Amino acid sequence: MRRTCLETGKASWARVMTVAACVLLSGGVARAQSPCAPGPVPPPVTLTDGEFYFRVDNTPRVLLGTNPFAPFEPLYSPLLAGVGVNEKLVRLAVHSLKQFPTYAGEVDEAWATEWDSVLCDAQANGLYALVTLDVWPNWNDAANPTLWESSIYNVLNFGPATSPSDLLEPGPTQDAWLDWVEGVVSRLHGHTNILGWEVFSEFDNIFGTATLIGANEVPAFCATTGTDLPPAVCLMEAAAARIRAVDPGRPVTASVKRVFDWVSLSTSSMDFLQLHPYANFLPIDDGNLDQAILDQVRLRRAEYGKPVFIGESGLDEEFPDPSALTLNPRGWVGINQAIWAGAVSGSMNARMLWYEDGHDGDGSGPVDLCTLDLPQYAAEPVCTDGDAATILRLSEVYQGASAPVARFLAGVDYSGFEPLTLTVGANLTGAILGNTTDALGWVRDVQSAHDVDADDPYWPWRPLSGESVTVDLPGQSADWIVDFYDTITGDVVPSIDADQDADDAITFRLPAFQGSIAFQIHAVQPIDVVIDIRLVAAFNRNNPRGQGVFPVWILTTRTAAGEPLDFDASTVAPSTVRFGPGGAIAERNRVVDVDRDGDLDLVLYFRRNRTGLVCGDTVASLTGETFTGRSIEGSDSLRNVGRGCP
């Protein structure tokens, strides 16, 4: 069953009063036509039950994404344009734009029209959107009393609620809010680039400063599910039911803060789970965001068997404090490593930062890094040109942070990718994902980490060489190629061939690196080489009982004269070549241009009675390896003659 269907269907016409409306069919339910101007539309996205990744144009992918924020609709344009360079996903909290409804539960049409513009702008930049319908600051009178006092739901403003906690109980507040959720989805679901709905962000902070997760959260009967659930989880189920009734094709999620686990939410009908890891809050592993992502994603996948989505993340929750880790001169290393970790964690997505992606401000607007008196920004042209109207934003500094990972993931198919076992030495940590034919891995130096007890710089680098890793592979192949990637640039560095051992594992040595290094592993078929069996000229006649030797040519080939070589026969290791059913070993060999085309070929001599050829054989094959370990194979026709042969 597909949870999301964004295909462009056939247009049909329906009469709604006197207005003709074009609809797109999705799961048998009419979907309003996209309000965006004609133009490029991102490929369809689906989430299939039992899979852990979104399918983009029917291919499982990991989507790089961001959390852009702006208080006014026009301010989203530069953020979305920057995101669209490397990312494919934005998480949009609709409450970032001001609403002015007449009453609680009403959808403000002017506000919805602004979101039409933002979503169309995202589509024009090739971006999918996870739409977050509500966020905890709107329902927390302890952390945000001013915001709650101005709420349309507050009884002070003639709303139905005397407290934010009224949202958790069946009654007029909950009914109004559920009507609003349904109304927003009804109004916006025609946007073809919406990949899902997030009911509520960090709803364990709905009221006060205490978490809703704990012994005091007593389950009660939930009418939506017919089971006992904590009231907050029941509310999420009720909202999800409303959403699915209007837009049954798209997945639904909800989130709690940081990496806390609320079991009743994780086992609910939510289509995927969320994590919000921040490196300066427990239970993060030693303050390192990359390791937290690796550990927490795999823990949730294994525990609940559901896809895991990184909703937001960061090195800390303290910006714009100048001591924030994200402003450390080496903070970019921690961010880089966290994005790489996301790509190999098993998560549906990667990056999804918070302050670094657009929430880089305080109550008065975005923070100008030029004013923080930090040496790493002092020489930036924006900070030295004297133009007070131009500021340097944190989101601009980190705009290209995922570029190397984007290059690494280009064209990668995550079909069947599961966490694999990676064995490394004491100097390394990392992770790998893969299936029977392909794998993606990333490792870093254990010393390239944030250590709260260490002096700056955090995330230090040192040269490492001679390090080896072992990967347990679920598939078998005669050859595996390992492509290495520079994690700062995303460039490919020289590849190697690796052999599988008797336990289906491959062990290979990493090139010299500092900080971290990534790699892709691919099963490859043997190289099909051209051979010529030279038994009797032009007839390839063989006497299986003969005692002599005969030559077999392995030819160097190219598509045309002057073109690069397709295969260089001189790269074959003669000692690895085996010929015929008997696996004959060459008696001797030489490299010479036997076919007089200007290229050197390999000539191997085999003893007839060791080839295993018998009467009736019409084809003989040869196998071997190149000096770098790539397997080769080739065949040629023959005719057996002599006593006993027809």
Side-chain angles (χ1 to χ4, degrees):
M1 173 184 176
R2 296 194 174 207
R3 280 296 187 191
T4 310
C5 179
L6 306 186
E7 290 102 338
T8 301
K10 295 182 179 179
S12 61
W13 295 95
R15 293 180 179 86
V16 181
M17 295 188 292
T18 59
V19 180
C22 179
V23 300
L24 297 175
L25 298 180
S26 174
V29 176
R31 176 170 294 167
Q33 186 179 20
S34 171
C36 303
V41 177
V45 171
T46 58
L47 179 60
T48 303
D49 284 350
E51 295 189 347
F52 291 93
Y53 311 99
F54 287 115
R55 284 180 174 261
V56 179
D57 211 6
N58 206 36
T59 300
R61 308 280 192 194
V62 161
L63 300 177
L64 298 173
T66 71
N67 279 283
F69 169 83
F72 304 104
E73 177 262 317
L75 299 180
Y76 269 102
S77 287
L79 290 174
L80 296 174
V83 171
V85 175
N86 297 305
E87 284 76 43
K88 296 298 181 185
L89 166 68
V90 285
R91 178 170 172 254
L92 298 173
V94 295
H95 277 278
S96 63
L97 301 182
K98 295 294 184 182
Q99 302 175 71
F100 300 97
T102 303
Y103 56 87
E106 179 193 40
V107 176
D108 179 356
E109 177 56 28
W111 168 86
T113 301
E114 289 186 307
W115 277 110
D116 283 336
S117 297
V118 175
L119 287 164
C120 290
D121 198 351
Q123 176 178 302
N125 284 285
L127 296 165
Y128 304 104
L130 175 65
V131 178
T132 302
L133 296 170
D134 211 340
V135 294
W136 69 268
N138 294 326
W139 298 90
N140 188 309
D141 57 354
N144 297 277
T146 302
L147 193 59
W148 172 242
E149 288 173 4
S150 64
S151 171
I152 192 72
Y153 291 89
N154 195 321
V155 69
L156 297 176
N157 302 307
F158 306 102
T162 58
S163 165
S165 61
D166 287 355
L167 181 63
L168 303 178
E169 301 295 334
T173 300
Q174 189 175 102
D175 290 342
W177 185 79
L178 289 172
D179 287 344
W180 177 83
V181 167
E182 182 177 335
V184 173
V185 175
S186 298
R187 175 61 179 76
L188 297 178
H189 78 294
H191 288 274
T192 58
N193 61 325
I194 293 176
L195 58 72
W197 305 98
E198 182 176 353
V199 178
F200 208 107
S201 175
E202 300 189 353
F203 69 90
D204 50 328
N205 278 335
I206 282 179
F207 68 93
T209 57
T211 176
L212 290 174
I213 305 174
N216 295 328
E217 178 64 307
V218 180
F221 180 75
C222 179
T224 301
T225 64
T227 61
D228 288 346
L229 285 175
V233 178
C234 182
L235 176 64
M236 297 303 106
E237 289 282 21
R242 295 278 195 109
I243 292 170
R244 289 173 180 138
V246 174
D247 191 16
R250 291 189 173 110
V252 180
T253 187
S255 62
V256 297
K257 63 185 177 183
R258 302 173 190 159
V259 295
F260 294 135
D261 183 15
W262 198 343
V263 175
S264 57
L265 175 68
S266 298
T267 56
S268 71
S269 70
M270 297 297 151
D271 297 300
F272 58 91
L273 310 180
Q274 280 202 45
L275 294 173
H276 294 182
Y278 286 89
N280 63 328
F281 282 98
L282 295 176
I284 302 301
D285 305 71
D286 300 322
N288 291 297
L289 183 58
D290 57 352
Q291 195 64 49
I293 289 171
L294 293 177
D295 292 345
Q296 295 295 325
V297 168
R298 295 185 175 209
L299 179 66
R300 298 299 167 80
R301 276 188 50 154
E303 182 73 16
Y304 301 110
K306 285 187 176 184
V308 179
F309 185 92
I310 301 170
E312 59 190 64
S313 65
L315 297 181
D316 48 37
E317 293 181 326
E318 298 173 358
F319 186 81
D321 184 340
S323 65
L325 293 177
T326 194
L327 296 179
N328 186 280
R330 297 283 292 175
W332 67 272
V333 179
I335 293 294
N336 173 270
Q337 293 176 172
I339 298 172
W340 279 103
V344 300
S345 66
S347 170
M348 311 168 78
N349 64 325
R351 182 176 171 132
M352 299 305 294
L353 305 170
W354 187 249
Y355 294 117
E356 298 86 352
D357 281 348
H359 291 260
D360 50 345
D362 53 22
S364 60
V367 171
D368 183 1
L369 299 183
C370 300
T371 66
L372 299 183
D373 196 27
L374 296 171
Q376 63 267 36
Y377 304 122
E380 292 287 339
V382 173
C383 299
T384 60
D385 63 8
D387 183 0
T390 304
I391 68 172
L392 179 63
R393 297 187 59 176
L394 188 66
S395 58
E396 295 168 351
V397 171
Y398 282 102
Q399 181 171 294
S402 59
V405 184
R407 297 186 65 181
F408 177 77
L409 294 181
V412 171
D413 181 346
Y414 274 73
S415 294
F417 270 24
E418 297 283 348
L420 303 180
T421 299
L422 177 70
T423 304
V424 298
N427 287 326
L428 302 178
T429 186
I432 189 167
L433 295 170
N435 56 26
T436 57
T437 59
D438 299 277
L440 306 178
W442 170 82
V443 295
R444 71 160 167 85
D445 182 354
V446 293
Q447 291 190 13
S448 183
H450 163 235
D451 182 352
V452 294
D453 297 320
D455 294 330
D456 277 347
Y458 296 144
W459 303 281
W461 281 354
R462 58 175 173 168
L464 287 179
S465 61
E467 298 291 335
S468 294
V469 302
T470 298
V471 180
D472 292 337
L473 296 167
Q476 294 181 333
S477 176
D479 284 309
W480 297 87
I481 289 182
V482 184
D483 297 322
F484 296 104
Y485 287 77
D486 184 304
T487 54
I488 303 303
T489 65
D491 292 339
V492 180
V493 294
S495 303
I496 62 170
D497 297 296
D499 293 325
Q500 208 163 5
D501 63 25
D503 295 322
D504 295 335
I506 62 172
T507 299
F508 54 89
R509 181 168 294 181
L510 303 172
F513 71 97
Q514 296 186 75
S516 68
I517 190 167
F519 50 88
Q520 296 185 5
I521 303 173
H522 306 287
V524 293
Q525 296 299 315
I527 301 171
D528 190 12
V529 299
V530 177
I531 71 171
D532 192 349
I533 302 172
R534 308 297 289 184
L535 294 165
V536 176
F539 295 105
N540 277 12
R541 294 186 298 172
N542 174 56
N543 180 355
R545 297 176 181 272
Q547 300 297 311
V549 297
F550 62 91
V552 176
W553 300 350
I554 300 179
L555 300 177
T556 293
T557 56
R558 64 176 80 217
T559 54
E563 292 296 316
L565 295 178
D566 288 331
F567 178 72
D568 184 354
S570 68
T571 63
V572 175
S575 63
T576 67
V577 177
R578 301 293 183 267
F579 179 77
I585 300 173
E587 300 287 320
R588 61 181 187 275
N589 66 85
R590 62 192 181 109
V591 176
V592 63
D593 182 9
V594 292
D595 56 357
R596 299 181 181 179
D597 64 353
D599 298 322
L600 294 177
D601 310 295
L602 177 62
V603 182
L604 302 148
Y605 296 87
F606 298 95
R607 195 164 297 281
R608 294 172 186 269
N609 60 359
R610 293 180 180 174
T611 63
L613 294 169
V614 297
C615 292
D617 288 338
T618 58
V619 175
S621 298
L622 170 151
T623 62
E625 294 182 0
T626 66
F627 286 109
T628 60
R630 284 294 307 276
S631 296
I632 65 165
E633 62 182 17
S635 300
D636 191 18
S637 60
L638 57 79
R639 177 188 174 196
N640 285 315
V641 299
R643 189 171 62 186
C645 296

